[in-house]
Amino acid sequence: MEKKILLLILILFSIYKSGYSISNPLPLGIFYDDKSFTIIFNKDFPYFTRLILYKDKTTPRDEMAPNYFNCSLIIGDKRHCVFHSDEPFSRLWGSIYSKICARDVSSSEEDCSYRVSGLIKYPLPYNLKYSKKPRTSGEDIIVTGTYLRFMGGPNLLLSNFNTLKPFVVKGNFSDPSFDCNNITVTFPPGSGNFKIYYDDIALNPFLFSFESPKISSTVSDSLKQLLTINGDNFFMNKTLVTVSFDGINQTNYIISVNHTQIQVNDINRVDPGPMSINIIVNGISIEENYIHCFPAVITSISSVSNHLGGIVTIKGEKLSSTLNSSLTPSITIGDKQCTFIKSTTTELECQLDPNEYGGKNLSVDVNFSGCNSTSPDGVSFTYNIPTLSSGSYSNGLVTLIGTNLGTTEESLIQLYGNGINDNINIDQFNVSSDEKSLTFKLPLLRCKSFNINLTRSNIAANTLSISASLSINAINRPMVSNGTLNIEIYYMDCSVSSSSAQSITVYNSTSQCSIPSLQSSSGYYETTCPTAYGTGINKQFTFKLNSETVNGEFSYAPPKVDNRAFSEGHINITFHGNNFGNSTSLIQVYLNGSDISSEIMGLDDHQFTIKRLNSYENGPINITVDGNNMESLFYLKLPPVIYGIINKDNKTLDCRGLITVSGKNLLTNDKEFKVKVLANNKNTTVFVQDEKILIVRAESNESPLLVSTFIGDDLGSIAILTYLEPIITVITTIKNKKDGIYASVGGISLPGNINAILAVKSENIYLSCNLQCSSSPNETLYDSNPKLSSNETDITNSTDCLLCHSNSFVDETSGVLYLQIGSTSFHHYDVIIEKIELSSSPSASNGDERKSSKLSGGAIAGITIGCVAAVGALVGCVVYFKLITRAKNSFK
């Protein structure tokens, strides 16, 4: 301070000249810029002429170029002295010991004894600029401007920061290339505001300061309740530093690293959001408060269905403000907004709209007033993550409660656990519309407990374990008496041991069952229980296994017929089998749908006997015992019944030896009841057979025949039959054909051994004859019978035909036909002979075909016969007649 006073006295009073009479020049004003400066004087008083700048106190600058003041310009009473120099203003520098020359207006003589320190008006630093403010840790700063070293240093810069230690100005000012308008000043560590004096007389201060505090980052350690502030210009003297959070000064802090780091302790903030940090170092505040964010801490995120959307729950810390209830967050999931609903400090809920495309591993942002928190690695949002909260089993159904259980197209359910060899897929299940509940029918499992694995779109839910209650199934139908019931057991405690106690109660009767054993065929446990005598279906029982009891139902085995037996004479029928019971009131027997239960003569569990009635026909036997129906009906085939031998008058045979037997059930393959017909104790050949008619051919031509019928070994009807005597009834016109002559002879019971001779005028012609019977295999040969059906034809009166032929030709119109039947003598008949026709026409003999020869010895009246022969072969013989009387000439 003393120095400043002395300098001031110098300025005001110490200007003097030695041995010179010029009075002190008194500048009235000064004008300057970066290129020139002008000093104003009174035109009538002394004025400056030039400068002599010194390096220091004693040494003038010898490298300085010439300079001068041009004071020729007088305006009014003012003289304007403009400074000129042969070197740029960037080289205008000197100490306060520099000299200034002056002259009086009345003399050209200069006086150079004046010091510049005595000037009241002089150029101050012009267009002053700093490259920056110095950091509190100190640094070099570039200062630019004009007249920076006009009256100072030059390598020291005064300030009030430390009056004893001026700032150092770097550089060699004596170097002609050195730019005095661009100097580098070294600032030591410091803080706050201070004054800089560019003149060494310290009359004109320039305000400056160290840099304001800067915060580059903050780090919060919630466990240590510590907030670290990183930055610069914090200085190193805590007493000069003020730290405030949201306007509240903090007291528990330290400058942990000089100038660059502050640690604030006891920071325990539960609220999310921004916190404003202000730091003042020695009166200089941070330019803009730093915002430290206390972000929400996200530890877990729930999921919703992309089909439905829903409430997303975010868990963590700092999810709600306890100090500002109006501070609510904005939530973004992926690129979708999630509308805030409510929150606590540890849990937040928001509503997310449906999203057609869904998504996986989406980031979640929770933002409180610009303080954003993004879910960390490993914590993300995925649509459709299923969760299972509980499960239950009842009445065969499993119900799962959870979220995002999906649809039948998206979700897969698998069961696994003890007793399940391979995972069981559940293909059919129902999901509620809100995807919060799911039900499915539980398949049969060996063990009580099982695990459920639900997967939706390849995203697995948590595993859930469920226990089902004991269940059973009767897998067989026990016999009515001495039966055993096999029970399959499901959902049982698989720790089965020999000490397990199991029983069954039927009709209030309890019996012990076998120890459950695992069946390799089914994979389930099975036990066998004896059952009491009983009949019927849907019988209730109670099964107990250890402490568990369950009700079940079974049906006794149905009645079954294995075989039947007939009593002697086929009067009674006994059916052998099982499960008939012993009560006639509980059994119903049906034959062909008709109830024949009243005919039961005896009954026990394995057989029953009924009386056979003549009205019985073959058909199915159906039995019901106490409502229990047969599974397979038993077809009853009754023994044959023979009504009798029904040939003509029960005693005649025609030429073919056909025997007709009438009855029912004649078609049987049962050897026990095989129907046989013997003729003279010889077998016969079956000609026609159905259930009611049996036609056989006797191979014997002997007459009479003893015909016997048999049913198995039992003898039936017996009859004695004789062959009919042969009778000639008609002879048609002799035909002349290309291959010879033909004669057709009709009659009854004609034998096959007949000799024929045609006698004409010129010769006797031998003819060969073949017997053709007119009956067909479907026609029967018996007389009117009340037991015949309406479609059976009575052809007892049918006539046989002989077709006689010779290769000879006869050119006659009449002749005599001689016929010998068997060993009898020849009988002769007058016949008509057609004329020989070399070519035949369809109508050549139509008029004669039905002409017949009169039979000698008397003919049969009322007979109409048509026999048609084709050329070369007999096509058939059709006979239409009604026998009225026999011819008198019969064969003996």
Side-chain angles (χ1 to χ4, degrees), residues 545-575:
L545 177 62
N546 294 329
S547 61
E548 291 188 273
T549 301
V550 62
N551 294 324
E553 184 178 272
F554 75 91
S555 295
Y556 283 97
K560 178 184 178 183
V561 176
D562 294 327
N563 54 68
R564 54 91 184 105
F566 291 90
S567 63
E568 186 176 354
H570 307 157
I571 298 173
N572 298 326
I573 309 173
T574 298
F575 295 92

Side-chain angles (χ1 to χ4, degrees), residues 34 276 306 502 777 798 823:
D34 58 345
S276 176
N306 72 301
Q502 48 279 330
S798 295
S823 58

Side-chain angles (χ1 to χ4, degrees), residues 645-709:
I645 299 169
I646 56 172
N647 283 54
K648 178 67 175 177
D649 299 327
N650 284 342
K651 56 186 177 181
T652 57
L653 291 168
D654 66 358
C655 65
R656 293 157 302 180
L658 298 181
I659 303 169
T660 303
V661 179
S662 174
K664 70 176 182 178
N665 304 329
L666 299 180
L667 278 177
T668 178
N669 294 322
D670 195 336
K671 294 181 179 180
E672 180 184 2
F673 304 124
K674 187 71 174 179
V675 177
K676 296 184 295 183
V677 179
L678 300 181
N680 288 342
N681 293 321
K682 294 181 180 179
N683 289 330
T684 56
T685 301
V686 175
F687 190 60
V688 175
Q689 185 175 15
D690 61 21
E691 288 287 358
K692 296 182 178 181
I693 293 296
L694 175 62
I695 302 175
V696 297
R697 184 190 300 277
E699 301 301 331
S700 174
N701 291 326
E702 301 174 2
S703 187
L705 286 177
L706 175 62
V707 179
S708 304
T709 61

Side-chain angles (χ1 to χ4, degrees), residues 12 231 233 247 296 300 303 309 345 363 385 464 473 512 534 549 662 670 691 801 815 843 883:
L12 296 176
N233 306 316
S300 69
S303 177
T345 57
S363 63
I385 296 178
L464 200 64
N473 179 41
Q512 296 301 311
T549 301
S662 174
D670 195 336
E691 288 287 358
C801 289
S843 58
L883 182 60

